[in-house]
Amino acid sequence: MQFNRRTFSALALGTLVGCEERSSGTASAPAAAPASAPAPASASASAPPPAEYIPPLLRAHPGLAPRLPRLPLGLLPTPVERATKLAAKAAIAGLHVKRDDLSGAAYGGGKTRKLEFFLADARAKDTREIVTFGAFGSNQAVATALYGAAQGFAVTLLLAPQTPSPYVRKNLLAARRAGATIRVVHGGVAEAEALAKRAAKGAKGRAPYLVPPGGSSPLGNLAFVNAALELAEQVGAGVCPLPDCIYLAMGTMGSAVGLALGLELAGLRTEVVAVRTSSPETSSEARFFAMAKQTVAFARSLDPTFPEARLGRARVRFSTNHLGAGYGAPTRKGERAIALAAETEGMTLEPTYTGKTLAALLDDAERLAGKVVLFWNSHSSRPLLTEGVKSEDFPPVLRGIVAER
């Protein structure tokens, strides 16, 4: 494993500190708990307080810290676990799972990582309302609703039509229960974002803070640069072996872009297999590499000493055969992968992103034999509260979708 020299030096201390906790397969205490916080009544009086989580991105590049505010929402670092039973079924002995489904107490998945930066930026700009976009069952929408409300923001969701399903229904109910205002935009997510940008530009007084679809932007992507450096620390600490490849869902692409950049910075020779789960227009190779350049340029605008990392095409492989009928539309292979994950590892996946991503991994099983493979579970496994919400609380077009069946 060859680390970028500067990144390795900055991360070395963090790799040594807390190795025992990471290797136990459990997430560390949330960074929100200050070092002086009293221990629970059940804890030993002599037990040390939990260490504050400092993102490896900020330790490796401390010049970013003054200009990159962060709200400690997550339970980081997330564990890496062997998927022994699933590995046996798939004939991939070296199969591991990055448990980003446990990234937050209220809601897990990759969106929690990104919202740490977005909500901190919104607070720094003295914004009171958060607006974000997605399809009816958007994970971005429900995560923003939950964490935004908890941080005192009013949250508005501009949502576009999506094929109804129990997954979509649950996300809508949870977002509304959290207090989000939901508006339907029939022209699609891109139109919703364009309308919101025009409204914000012409707003009198304090404009709302716009979180882009999927949280994919240079700012949001840095959360997954950090995630890659987190993984590098876990590899360095012996928590898991160096992956030959990582399978990750690619929707609006920011997570895959950030992960690939972070691996490049850490010097890990690991291939990112980005599994297309959205339209080719949303997730094209050209947009991917353009977004990577924008992310590096943004980081360097905050800290000119940030490395001028460049992604080669050997770093990323685009898996494009599992989209099926389109975004949010289930596939047979995806549904089989969801059932297999539940049966073997008790993992809860969903049909839009993670089911299709695992299906791509399983389809590649023959070529993956003998390799160390990491499945990045970007779906939240936290239970969502949906009680007490009525169909009348939604715009008319959504009432049939959320009504009890």
Side-chain angles (χ1 to χ4, degrees), residues 134-135 137-139 162-163 167 251 277-279 323 325-329 352-353 356:
S138 166
N139 296 323
Q162 179 180 350
T163 304
Y167 163 69
T277 56
S278 188
S279 70
L323 179 60
Y327 173 82
T352 301
Y353 298 105
K356 293 178 180 180

Side-chain angles (χ1 to χ4, degrees), residues 144-365:
T144 304
L146 290 167
Y147 287 114
Q151 294 296 324
F153 294 101
V155 177
T156 298
L157 309 177
L158 303 184
L159 304 182
Q162 179 180 350
T163 304
S165 70
Y167 163 69
V168 169
R169 177 179 181 271
K170 183 180 289 186
N171 274 7
L172 283 168
L173 289 170
R176 188 69 189 94
R177 190 181 189 278
T181 298
I182 298 176
R183 297 176 183 168
V184 175
V185 180
H186 291 281
V189 175
E191 180 179 320
E193 186 178 18
L195 288 171
K197 285 180 177 178
R198 286 199 294 270
K201 191 174 181 179
K204 295 180 179 178
R206 193 181 281 111
Y209 184 91
L210 307 184
V211 176
S216 291
S217 73
L219 175 59
N221 301 349
L222 288 180
F224 266 80
V225 174
N226 183 67
L229 298 181
E230 173 183 302
L231 177 64
E233 289 193 338
Q234 292 173 313
V235 170
V239 173
C240 63
L242 173 65
D244 292 299
C245 55
I246 298 173
Y247 280 71
L248 175 70
M250 180 177 67
T252 53
M253 300 191 301
S255 300
V257 165
L259 189 66
L261 281 173
L263 293 171
E264 185 73 19
L265 289 172
L268 298 187
R269 293 191 295 271
T270 300
E271 178 187 59
V272 174
V273 183
V275 181
R276 177 178 285 158
T277 56
S278 188
S279 70
E281 294 77 23
T282 301
S283 54
S284 68
E285 290 188 33
R287 288 193 65 188
F288 184 97
F289 289 105
M291 189 181 290
K293 290 180 180 178
Q294 292 164 2
T295 303
V296 172
F298 174 71
R300 286 176 59 79
S301 74
L302 301 180
D303 175 11
T305 69
F306 188 87
E308 213 165 344
R310 296 182 182 180
L311 290 183
R313 292 186 179 271
R315 166 67 69 189
V316 186
R317 177 163 65 86
F318 298 92
S319 176
T320 60
N321 298 325
H322 288 268
L323 179 60
Y327 173 82
T331 63
R332 289 183 180 179
K333 286 185 176 180
E335 290 178 333
R336 286 198 292 269
I338 291 169
L340 185 61
E343 172 195 333
T344 56
E345 302 294 337
M347 283 195 299
T348 304
L349 307 183
E350 42 67 49
T352 301
Y353 298 105
T354 49
K356 293 178 180 180
T357 302
L358 183 58
L361 187 158
L362 295 174
D363 258 9
D364 290 345

Side-chain angles (χ1 to χ4, degrees), residues 15-107:
T15 302
L16 296 173
V17 175
C19 288
E20 181 180 349
E21 183 176 38
R22 280 197 292 272
S23 63
S24 69
T26 58
S28 65
S36 60
S42 59
S44 167
S46 61
E52 181 183 4
Y53 173 80
I54 301 175
L57 173 65
L58 301 186
R59 283 187 272 117
H61 306 288
L64 289 173
R67 303 191 64 189
L68 191 63
R70 169 183 165 266
L71 280 176
L73 306 176
L75 300 173
L76 303 174
T78 57
V80 180
E81 298 175 355
R82 289 187 68 92
T84 308
K85 294 179 181 178
L86 180 58
K89 288 280 189 179
I92 305 171
L95 182 58
H96 293 70
V97 179
K98 178 65 167 165
R99 297 294 306 273
D100 257 25
D101 57 308
L102 303 175
S103 66
Y107 194 80

Side-chain angles (χ1 to χ4, degrees), residues 122-160:
R123 179 165 290 174
K125 292 175 178 175
D126 196 29
T127 307
R128 295 178 181 174
E129 180 185 7
I130 304 291
V131 177
T132 196
F133 323 88
F136 287 166
S138 166
N139 296 323
Q140 168 71 24
V142 70
T144 304
L146 290 167
Y147 287 114
Q151 294 296 324
F153 294 101
V155 177
T156 298
L157 309 177
L158 303 184
L159 304 182

